[in-house]
Amino acid sequence: MKTVGIVANPTKDGIRPAIEAVRAWCDDHGLTVLADVALREFAPEGVPCVASAELVEKAELVFACGGDGTLLSAVRMIATAGYETPVIGVNLGSLGFLTQIAEEDLGDVLSDLDPDELPSSARMMLEVSVRGKPGSQLALNDVVISKGGDSRMMSFEARADGEVVTRYAADGLILATPSGSTAYSVSAGGPVVSPRVEAIILTPICPHTLSMRSCVIPPSTVVEVEMLTCDDVTVVSTDGDRAFGLTEGDVVEVRTAEKRAVLVDVSR
């Protein structure tokens, strides 16, 4: 390893001390450190700030400083660029299920962290597209089909490799990875699935029929969700970020992504 990158949410407190701690660790191990250009006003002297694309291309380890949203964004950016660079999360916010390192513990964790022996785990990701529309998006936690706040309940048909799973009347549908099973999916009544298990978890949001429950299907499955009825404010989001707008007749396709997220696991 030669180069370490730092990305962060510039609205969070504690960014400057976090960058300084990472730079000190890099200096101790003879590593070059790069910060994302958005951190220019926070980066101490001697830490170059580069465009995100350059950082992703050069970094062999990325520190994501902020909350889970920062880490999810970093992972998607890396995978979209075609890399599987390890990411280590530093929690500078209030929500940190994936960002394991608390701000106050960063120095202690780094003192025990060997850049040549990173304890890491690979996590499956999802790729989502809408048939007939250009492009696709990646998600580490979940793909969510949801309606606008004032719109009516929608109906849709879910298919697995072309076979009908069920028809839903609901406020939406969550398609989660095991990593995302403890996020929105579990809040909607879905199961908690170990990240060591690979699967796609389908959980309806506020289904009209009480018998509707989550489905857990193999990761090799291609899931199709055909929108039977929906308002024009219906959207597909990936890890909480809007990806596509939907209309009646659209078919959402979700499959396991080729690239994986690699998270450094300091709990081991």
Side-chain angles (χ1 to χ4, degrees):
M1 183 182 298
K2 296 180 180 179
T3 306
V4 172
I6 303 174
V7 298
N9 182 343
T11 67
K12 298 292 185 181
D13 295 330
I15 293 177
R16 194 183 303 274
I19 296 175
E20 290 174 345
V22 173
R23 182 181 68 167
W25 179 75
C26 289
D27 289 344
D28 290 343
H29 293 278
L31 304 173
T32 299
V33 60
L34 301 174
D36 187 85
V37 67
L39 304 178
R40 181 168 290 162
E41 65 177 285
F42 303 100
E45 185 177 354
V47 175
C49 294
V50 300
S52 299
E54 181 179 350
L55 185 147
V56 169
E57 179 183 357
K58 294 182 176 179
E60 297 159 272
L61 171 67
V62 172
F63 282 82
C65 304
D68 281 356
T70 305
L71 185 143
L72 291 167
S73 178
V75 164
R76 294 202 311 271
M77 179 174 64
I78 290 167
T80 300
Y83 299 99
E84 293 186 346
T85 307
V87 178
I88 184 167
V90 180
N91 185 18
L92 304 181
S94 58
L95 181 63
F97 291 106
L98 296 172
T99 48
Q100 292 184 338
I101 306 175
E103 178 183 357
E104 60 271 18
D105 297 331
L106 179 57
D108 291 338
V109 171
L110 289 177
S111 66
D112 295 329
L113 191 65
D114 185 345
D116 295 320
E117 296 183 6
L118 294 174
S120 60
S121 61
R123 307 287 185 91
M124 68 171 283
M125 300 181 70
L126 298 176
E127 180 180 3
V128 59
S129 59
V130 178
R131 189 176 297 167
K133 295 184 180 182
S136 63
Q137 296 289 333
L138 300 178
L140 172 58
N141 266 358
D142 50 38
V143 172
V144 179
I145 300 171
S146 60
K147 65 186 185 69
D150 296 327
S151 61
R152 58 191 171 87
M153 183 169 53
M154 66 184 78
S155 62
F156 44 89
E157 180 179 271
R159 300 187 289 267
D161 289 336
E163 297 292 329
V164 175
V165 175
T166 189
R167 287 192 173 190
Y168 294 96
D171 285 352
L173 182 67
I174 304 165
L175 299 98
T177 67
S179 296
S181 69
T182 56
Y184 193 4
S185 179
V186 76
S187 298
V192 174
V193 180
S194 168
R196 296 181 182 181
V197 176
E198 295 201 342
I200 301 174
I201 306 152
L202 279 65
T203 302
I205 303 169
C206 299
H208 182 64
T209 304
L210 293 177
S211 61
M212 288 292 181
R213 293 294 181 261
S214 296
C215 297
V216 180
I217 59 179
S220 59
T221 306
V222 177
V223 180
E224 298 172 337
V225 181
E226 181 174 356
M227 308 307 300
L228 303 177
T229 61
C230 67
D231 291 338
D232 56 7
V233 291
T234 304
V235 298
V236 178
S237 60
T238 55
D239 293 337
D241 292 333
R242 180 187 171 117
F244 301 99
L246 295 176
T247 58
E248 289 185 8
D250 280 342
V251 178
V252 181
E253 297 183 347
V254 178
R255 68 191 72 217
T256 299
E258 291 185 6
K259 293 298 180 181
R260 296 172 179 270
V262 180
L263 304 183
V264 176
D265 186 359
V266 297
S267 66
R268 295 186 180 182

